[in-house]
Amino acid sequence: MSGSKGHQYDEGHTIAGWGGTAVATVGTALVGVGVCGWTPGTWLGLGVVVAAALLTWALHLAGWGKAPGPRPADQWGMGTRDASARAGHLNCLGCRLAGRRPAAGPERITASGTSVSGAPVSGAPVPGTRAADAADAVS
């Protein structure tokens, strides 16, 4: 097994994830009490659920969440801060809503094999070459 925590998968456990889940659980319990008869519980519970979403987002932006997709094995621990959060994550709705735009990365490659900045990407087939023609024939 690989990984420092005794398992081989990034299970996504983060402070932001668990904190938001705990607060949302309390909110949904209050909504349930409201449905059973205590009417203020419905509105209070919905407010707590909204607060849970905001808490999770704030913790993610502060570096206590994670980027979409798996993390490197040395960052699988729940108490590990995400050093890349301040710059923003590629394909992350929370970062986009906060106005964080990360630098061009492997996900931002155009069909012509160049990055958004216009620099050729290493390993990407260049149009008009045998590698590009072979890649087109396969797909």
Side-chain angles (χ1 to χ4, degrees):
M1 278 208 247
S2 64
S4 61
K5 302 296 179 197
H7 51 80
Q8 61 185 15
Y9 302 105
D10 177 17
E11 297 173 346
H13 299 298
T14 64
I15 301 294
W18 281 106
T21 299
V23 174
T25 301
V26 171
T28 55
L30 286 170
V31 170
V33 169
V35 168
C36 290
W38 186 55
T39 306
T42 303
W43 298 109
L44 184 61
L46 290 174
V48 171
V49 168
V50 169
L54 294 174
L55 171 72
T56 304
W57 185 33
L59 286 172
H60 171 79
L61 294 175
W64 291 109
K66 72 178 209 66
R71 298 175 285 187
D74 63 330
Q75 297 177 9
W76 286 0
M78 186 163 112
T80 304
R81 282 191 88 165
D82 180 10
S84 65
R86 190 166 296 275
H89 302 116
L90 287 174
N91 303 322
C92 177
L93 176 63
C95 290
R96 279 185 285 169
L97 289 173
R100 296 183 180 178
R101 304 279 186 225
E107 286 85 2
R108 294 189 173 193
I109 298 172
T110 65
S112 64
T114 59
S115 68
V116 172
S117 64
V121 177
S122 63
V126 177
T129 64
R130 289 184 187 197
D133 295 338
D136 290 341
V138 171
S139 54

